């Protein structure tokens, strides 16, 4: 903790504030979202399709709008978009406390997602610009705060849930309201790098998007990395499905352990992994190793057990899930700072928020489509009696992503010279 504190203090005040801000964002978000589906289904009595619709709208409005959020940040500045996102999520979570009709729930869910699409690219672009050549260090510390919010948010939400779900919504809204006020008062304004050739209006935005689509190294890097987000998401899809198979109604407690281990590995290991990789590996190699680790995370689940026979098999199965989650978290923590720095280098420090937004949109689409495939593999595995099939496919995906990164490195697509931080406009 002392080391993290010293590293955070070495950055400018705006970067420090955004690190703490990200902890608050994840604290408020994960305080509420893990319990929303249960509230919709059992608290409000919605049909399963309606629950899926509300949750799907939230995901689509965030993942599909990242690109737009990044564009707005590059056009009007990072701070206004960050504040708008926090304010919008404050209102959206407050609405969830009282909404009891499907249209109101859909509106609140869409606003929640779009809020994330606003502040996420802007925060990362601000951080990258403010950290200068110390981006890798900054994103490593940033991820510690990010994971700490994921760790503590569900625990805070569970405690508040003993009172009532609207209390959880009110507390989450209050967190984002405080973040909006604090940043409005103390976050220094920062704009993207000045570009005298840049045109305004929709024509300029279209030109920006064409510039990104024509950036072949960025497009290839985004495609190669998309699988990593699908692998990371399996903590919320494949691992709970396996926990339900092995533990039945006891899967909730088991997944609480899995989530806690995942977050603790990231929080405790992030700075150590980043320091180790910086001394021994170049960024593409560090990313490749992280991807390989994420693929290898599913190998402990191959031998089973694949169904519950007695208590011993349940314990062995839980052990495999914990190892898988730990390796996923370690691989993700290893590659994340270098991944974020690579995006800045590929953008040549122009349109950084738009690049981050476009990258997140690609990742979101990969998760949405990939989860359908993973679900289909689980169904096929159950029908065909091949329970190892999903885990094999996920392991192969991780290794394929690592091989793709190796190919990009060898062909020179990721051979980027160091850049200096540009002056802000």
């Amino acid at each position: 903790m002392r080391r993290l504190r010293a590293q955070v203090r070495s950055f400018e005040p705006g970067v420090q504030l955004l690190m703490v801000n990200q902890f608050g964002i994840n604290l408020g978000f994960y305080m509420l979202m893990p319990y929303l589906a249960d509230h919709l289904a059992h608290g409000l009595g919605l049909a399963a399709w309606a629950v899926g619709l509300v949750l799907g709208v939230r995901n689509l409005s965030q993942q599909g709008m990242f690109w737009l959020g990044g564009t707005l940040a590059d056009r009007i500045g990072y701070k206004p978009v960050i504040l708008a996102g926090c304010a919008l999520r404050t209102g959206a979570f407050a609405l969830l406390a009282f909404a009891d009709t499907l249209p109101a729930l859909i509106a609140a869910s869409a606003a929640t997602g779009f809020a994330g699409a606003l502040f996420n690219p802007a925060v990362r672009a601000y951080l990258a610009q403010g950290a200068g050549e110390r981006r890798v260090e900054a994103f490593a510390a940033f991820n510690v705060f990010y994971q700490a919010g994921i760790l503590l948010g569900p625990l805070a939400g569970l405690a508040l849930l003993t009172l009532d779900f609207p209390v959880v919504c009110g507390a989450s809204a209050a967190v984002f309201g405080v973040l909006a006020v604090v940043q409005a008062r103390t976050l220094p304004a920062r704009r993207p790098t000045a570009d005298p050739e840049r045109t305004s209006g929709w024509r300029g935005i279209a030109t920006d998007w064409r510039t990104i689509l024509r950036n072949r190294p960025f497009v290839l890097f985004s495609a190669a990395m998309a699988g990593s987000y699908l692998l990371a998401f399996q903590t919320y899809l494949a691992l709970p499905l396996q926990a339900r198979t092995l533990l039945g109604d006891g899967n909730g407690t088991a997944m609480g352990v899995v989530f806690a281990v995942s977050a603790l590995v990231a929080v405790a290991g992030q700075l150590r992994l980043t320091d180790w990789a910086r001394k021994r590996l170049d960024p593409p190699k560090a990313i490749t190793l992280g991807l390989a680790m994420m693929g290898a995370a599913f190998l402990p689940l191959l031998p089973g057990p694949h169904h519950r026979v007695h208590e011993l098999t349940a314990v062995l199965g839980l052990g495999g899930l914990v190892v898988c989650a730990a390796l996923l978290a370690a691989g993700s923590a290893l590659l994340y700072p270098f991944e974020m720095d690579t995006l800045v280098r590929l953008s040549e420090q122009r349109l950084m928020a738009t690049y981050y937004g476009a990258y997140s949109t690609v990742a979101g689409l990969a998760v949405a489509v990939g989860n359908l495939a993973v679900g289909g593999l689980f169904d096929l595995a159950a029908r065909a009696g091949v329970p190892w099939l999903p885990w094999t496919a996920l392991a192969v995906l991780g290794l394929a992503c690592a091989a793709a990164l190796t190919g990009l490195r060898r062909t020179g697509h990721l051979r980027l010279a160091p850049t200096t931080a540009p002056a802000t406009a």
Side-chain angles (χ1 to χ4, degrees):
M1 182 62 70
R2 184 180 303 171
R3 180 184 178 188
L4 174 64
R5 187 163 52 245
Q7 184 158 319
V8 170
R9 286 177 176 174
S10 68
F11 292 103
E12 65 172 55
V15 171
Q16 295 179 35
L17 179 59
L18 287 183
M19 291 179 182
V20 178
N21 169 67
Q22 190 61 49
F23 169 77
I25 285 174
N26 280 9
L27 176 69
F29 183 80
Y30 287 97
M31 188 187 297
L32 186 152
M33 292 308 296
Y35 311 108
L36 178 59
D38 185 72
H39 168 70
L40 296 175
H42 302 291
L44 299 180
L46 294 185
W49 68 266
V51 175
L53 176 62
V54 172
L55 298 180
V57 165
R58 190 213 67 79
N59 186 68
L60 180 62
S61 63
Q62 179 161 323
Q63 304 294 348
M65 293 295 180
F66 270 130
W67 199 329
L68 177 59
T71 297
L72 291 173
D74 279 329
R75 288 279 159 177
I76 66 177
Y78 303 142
K79 181 175 179 178
V81 176
I82 293 172
L83 296 180
C86 288
L88 181 59
R89 187 161 281 182
T90 300
F93 280 177
L95 178 58
L96 281 175
F98 306 103
D100 57 3
T101 64
L102 188 57
L105 291 166
I106 289 175
S109 186
T112 297
F114 185 53
L118 286 174
F119 55 65
N120 274 327
V123 165
R124 283 152 181 77
Y126 190 117
L127 193 75
Q129 193 180 78
E133 289 305 296
R134 298 180 60 206
R135 288 186 298 269
V136 170
E137 296 174 57
F139 277 112
F142 177 83
N143 199 40
V144 174
F145 285 92
Y146 187 99
Q147 296 295 335
I150 293 178
L151 174 64
L152 297 179
L155 299 178
L158 186 62
L160 292 172
L161 202 60
T162 59
L163 301 176
D164 203 359
F165 184 77
V167 175
V168 180
C169 295
S172 299
V175 169
F176 280 95
V178 169
L179 291 176
V181 172
V182 170
Q183 290 174 100
R185 294 174 61 88
T186 61
L187 183 65
R190 183 179 288 277
R191 293 185 61 83
T193 307
D195 186 352
E197 299 181 0
R198 197 172 180 192
T199 57
S200 59
W202 287 107
R203 182 175 297 179
I205 291 175
T207 300
D208 292 345
W209 290 1
R210 284 195 298 268
T211 298
I212 290 175
L213 291 173
R214 290 170 181 168
N215 187 332
R216 182 176 174 81
F218 168 76
V219 172
L220 293 174
F221 181 73
S222 300
M225 292 298 298
S228 70
Y229 287 84
L230 177 60
L231 295 175
F233 193 86
Q234 298 318 303
T235 305
Y236 305 98
L237 177 61
L239 299 193
L241 289 175
Q242 181 70 352
R244 166 65 68 173
T245 299
L246 293 172
L247 303 168
D249 292 337
N251 70 312
T253 302
M255 286 311 301
V257 174
V258 170
F259 292 144
V261 168
S262 177
L264 285 172
V265 167
V267 170
Q270 179 68 72
L271 299 185
R272 293 180 177 85
L273 285 168
T274 302
D275 285 349
W276 177 86
R278 290 180 66 200
K279 294 174 182 177
R280 294 168 175 81
L281 306 171
D282 62 26
K285 284 185 178 179
I287 297 172
T288 301
L289 179 58
L291 289 170
M293 288 177 62
M294 294 180 75
F298 297 96
L299 296 179
L301 299 175
L302 280 175
H306 299 295
H307 57 86
R308 181 172 182 170
V309 177
H310 45 67
E311 293 300 325
L312 178 60
T313 62
V315 172
L316 291 174
L318 177 59
L321 292 175
V322 169
V323 172
C324 177
L327 287 174
L328 278 175
S332 181
L334 174 60
L335 67 84
Y336 178 78
F338 302 99
E339 173 194 14
M340 294 294 103
D341 179 61
T342 298
L343 288 173
V344 175
R345 296 182 184 278
L346 291 173
S347 72
E348 298 179 351
Q349 304 197 58
R350 295 178 59 254
L351 304 174
M352 284 192 293
T354 308
Y355 270 93
Y356 278 127
Y359 184 79
S360 297
T361 296
V362 172
L365 292 174
V367 170
V369 175
N371 280 340
L372 292 176
V374 171
L377 285 174
F378 269 92
D379 290 340
L380 177 61
R383 292 196 302 268
V386 285
W388 46 264
L389 180 61
W391 314 121
T392 302
L394 290 167
V396 169
L397 175 62
L399 297 177
C401 290
L405 256 293
T406 300
L408 291 179
R409 181 175 179 273
R410 290 179 176 175
T411 55
H413 287 93
L414 300 181
R415 194 177 299 131
L416 302 169
T419 55
T420 56
T424 58

